[in-house]
Amino acid sequence: MLTVHQTPAIVLTTRASSDIEADLLVFPVFEDDTLADEADLNAASGGEVAAARARGEITGKVSGLFITAVRGWKASRVALVGVGPRKDVTPDRLRRAATIGALAARQRRLTSIAIVHRPGTSVDAPGAAQVLAEGAVLANFDGAAYRTTDPPRVWLETVQLRVGGESAAVARASERGRVLGECTNLSRALSNEPGNTLTPKVFAERAVGIATDAGLAVEILDETRIADLKMGLLLGVARGSQEPPRLVVLRHEPPQAATGGERRAATRQPVLGLIGKGVTFDTGGISIKPADDMDRMKDDMSGGAAVLCAMAAISRLKAPVRCVAVIPMTENMPGGRAFKPGDVLTSAEGKTVEVLNTDAEGRLILGDAIWYARQLGATHLVDIATLTGSCIVALGKTATGLFGTPDEWVAQVRRAGDRAGERSWPMPVFDDYKELFKSEIADFANTGGRAGGAITAALFLKEFSGDLPWVHMDIAGTAWADQAAPHQPKGATGVGVRTLAELALDGQLFGS
């Protein structure tokens, strides 16, 4: 397997644009932008910038791209990337502009870029430094891990940022962006892996390496330990596969929880519990999926990858909140021992579930994992999963479905996603929907049918939350890009990594 991502060096500069040495100099451009703050640019381009504006090739509209050579500057080319009206510029638009400019450089086999933060927007210097660094790092990813006939990849080696502002704050912010971008790329690489290479056992081994490098405490529970915990939902799903399940537990303990009385005080502090679905391949089991697009089911562990890589970022950036993560890992296969429609499974909490559809397996393994996160001391829960096609029907592939209680906790998670540039939309969790997954012979069934399918799946998970503040993120539509966009190649998106990390980095959980 070839290297699929590489993190460039992020360097801050205060030099004038004409004096920045780079293969490509990237400027965000606004609608109706006169580029007055870069008065020498048009002359350096031989009048090409003004000519392109006159013929409508440079409009400043979001994601528009224009590249031209320049003379007399230390950079050989400039890229103008549209970010819309100046008053509407957001951190996410700057992040995307950085990615577009960096991808343009890589496509031209260039190895160094510089990105200039233009004045007059509502994004402050540290905020700009973070998102520009993130965007550039996200561009240094290539999902074609197993192609052997392509020419050698060209990676960005250096990214310079000119953003102004107080230097120490800008440096901290750019490092934060670099780490968040790198951890998102780690998640994308895992989600792109084929199911024959990323089995539950291998996924757990990869988790150990990533967690250890990040300074996290990590524990792997094998099938014997899982059975000792009576996790009948996870074991039920795993029965049809020859690959044994795994349960990965990660812990982030900030320094204040380290010793003595401080440790005792820390036990009274809130603990963020993150739970991610880690189905490394999902056939649907006995309720087998159609053949079309089943190959995509290798990404059914994207929630688990997001939690793993978010925890790595949380540790590396020294988030002040205690965190515990639980990632159940299994395949869902139609083997001779596979669980069947009509079976009744018993969860670790003792609740019984009638299986009506074996393709509704993600909620089963998450039920046991959410319960276990509670046993490990979590006080605030967020689970993330490629859970339901119904969520794609409701929201398409633009926004993650957000479910949970209380409203204040849902709102805090949503704000973290907004800061991360990962949009979500709140969905209802009214108790009335529980009627849809009632069972005649068990506590409840594992599906309520097509109507409100994403909602009933979320309410199933709520049954295991113990009335703690809980949010469910359904990333079925946002974890994978079916088509390439200017800022996102086709394939895994790494969604959720930055949202979960931002939530922990916020430093204050709802109600704590």
Side-chain angles (χ1 to χ4, degrees):
M1 185 179 71
L2 302 175
T3 300
V4 297
H5 64 96
Q6 182 173 300
T7 304
I10 306 294
V11 180
L12 302 179
T13 183
T14 58
R15 292 184 176 184
S17 299
S18 60
D19 201 34
I20 297 176
E21 295 186 27
D23 296 328
L24 183 68
L25 187 55
V26 180
F27 294 100
V29 179
F30 315 110
E31 292 184 15
D32 301 321
D33 196 342
T34 63
L35 290 161
D37 54 305
E38 296 290 344
D40 297 333
L41 175 57
N42 185 56
S45 72
E48 185 57 27
V49 169
R53 286 181 58 209
R55 62 178 178 261
E57 195 173 352
I58 300 174
T59 65
K61 293 186 183 301
V62 175
S63 299
L65 173 65
F66 176 79
I67 296 179
T68 185
V70 289
R71 296 183 179 277
W73 286 21
K74 291 187 177 179
S76 55
R77 302 171 183 82
V78 297
L80 306 182
V81 185
V83 291
R86 191 186 298 258
K87 64 181 177 59
D88 295 335
V89 171
T90 62
D92 189 46
R93 287 189 181 180
L94 290 181
R95 183 188 290 107
R96 291 189 178 198
T99 302
I100 291 168
L103 283 171
R106 288 192 59 220
Q107 289 162 0
R108 290 159 177 77
R109 307 186 72 77
L110 307 177
T111 61
S112 68
I113 66 170
I115 310 174
V116 173
H117 176 45
R118 305 279 306 290
T121 74
S122 61
V123 184
D124 62 15
Q130 176 179 329
V131 297
L132 294 176
E134 273 178 32
V137 173
L138 291 173
N140 238 20
F141 179 87
D142 188 333
Y146 292 91
R147 291 173 62 166
T148 61
T149 57
D150 289 352
R153 288 175 174 81
V154 172
W155 300 108
L156 287 179
E157 297 173 2
T158 305
V159 176
Q160 297 180 67
L161 303 178
R162 195 185 80 198
V163 295
E166 196 271 315
S167 59
V170 168
R172 287 193 300 271
S174 66
E175 173 63 9
R176 176 164 163 159
R178 185 187 71 84
V179 170
L180 291 173
E182 180 177 302
C183 289
T184 301
N185 283 344
L186 277 171
S187 180
R188 294 162 83 186
L190 287 167
S191 296
N192 271 341
E193 277 289 315
N196 64 318
T197 62
L198 195 78
T199 62
K201 182 179 179 182
V202 173
F203 192 8
E205 291 168 352
R206 295 276 292 273
V208 170
I210 292 170
T212 302
D213 288 347
L216 292 162
V218 58
E219 181 182 12
I220 307 299
L221 280 62
D222 63 13
E223 61 271 35
T224 301
R225 294 280 307 283
I226 294 169
D228 290 343
L229 289 168
K230 296 181 171 57
M231 291 187 169
L233 304 185
L234 174 55
L235 291 171
V237 174
R239 271 201 330 240
S241 175
Q242 292 186 345
E243 297 289 343
R246 292 290 184 266
L247 191 78
V248 173
V249 177
L250 308 169
R251 291 180 177 85
H252 166 67
E253 296 282 351
Q256 64 265 30
T259 59
E262 290 180 339
R263 178 178 293 277
R264 289 190 294 275
T267 62
R268 296 191 293 272
Q269 295 175 356
V271 178
L272 176 61
L274 304 179
I275 305 96
K277 175 184 174 184
V279 176
T280 60
F281 195 82
D282 180 19
T283 67
I286 298 300
S287 309
I288 198 162
K289 295 176 180 290
D292 289 350
D293 296 328
M294 195 195 286
D295 58 290
R296 269 275 320 282
M297 290 301 99
K298 66 180 185 178
D299 84 331
D300 212 21
M301 36 60 67
S302 293
V307 166
L308 167 63
C309 298
M311 286 289 287
I314 286 166
S315 179
R316 289 170 59 182
L317 294 172
K318 298 178 172 54
V321 174
R322 298 176 68 205
C323 301
V324 60
V326 181
I327 309 171
M329 300 173 176
T330 184
E331 291 181 335
N332 185 22
M333 302 291 283
R337 297 183 61 251
F339 75 132
K340 307 171 295 297
D343 286 359
V344 174
L345 305 178
T346 303
S347 72
E349 193 170 12
K351 295 180 178 181
T352 56
V353 179
E354 181 185 10
V355 176
L356 300 184
N357 187 325
T358 65
D359 195 24
E361 88 297 335
R363 66 201 71 182
L364 295 173
I365 71 170
L366 288 172
D368 275 341
I370 291 170
W371 169 84
Y372 196 52
R374 288 165 45 208
Q375 309 316 300
L376 296 175
T379 61
H380 296 68
L381 301 169
V382 180
D383 73 78
I384 179 169
T386 47
L387 205 65
T388 66
S390 296
C391 197
I392 304 176
V393 173
L395 297 175
K397 300 183 73 66
T398 298
T400 291
L402 210 60
F403 308 76
T405 56
D407 291 343
E408 294 86 351
W409 179 230
V410 177
Q412 184 171 355
V413 175
R414 188 182 181 194
R415 287 194 299 271
D418 288 344
R419 292 195 303 274
E422 296 179 335
R423 287 176 289 186
S424 59
W425 193 255
M427 301 283 281
V429 287
F430 305 134
D431 284 345
D432 307 54
Y433 288 102
K434 292 182 180 180
E435 293 295 314
L436 296 175
F437 59 98
K438 286 177 62 176
S439 169
E440 297 298 324
I441 66 169
D443 292 330
F444 40 85
N446 77 324
T447 180
R450 292 172 59 86
I455 299 169
T456 55
L459 284 168
F460 180 97
L461 298 177
K462 186 176 185 292
E463 294 291 326
F464 299 90
S465 67
D467 294 325
L468 293 177
W470 156 80
V471 160
H472 161 58
M473 299 174 62
D474 192 330
I475 57 171
T478 52
W480 189 271
D482 290 324
Q483 296 179 334
H487 66 284
Q488 169 65 52
K490 181 178 179 179
T493 65
V495 70
V497 173
R498 301 196 306 272
T499 295
L500 298 178
E502 286 282 354
L503 184 63
L505 289 164
D506 190 26
Q508 184 70 33
L509 302 182
F510 157 77
S512 61

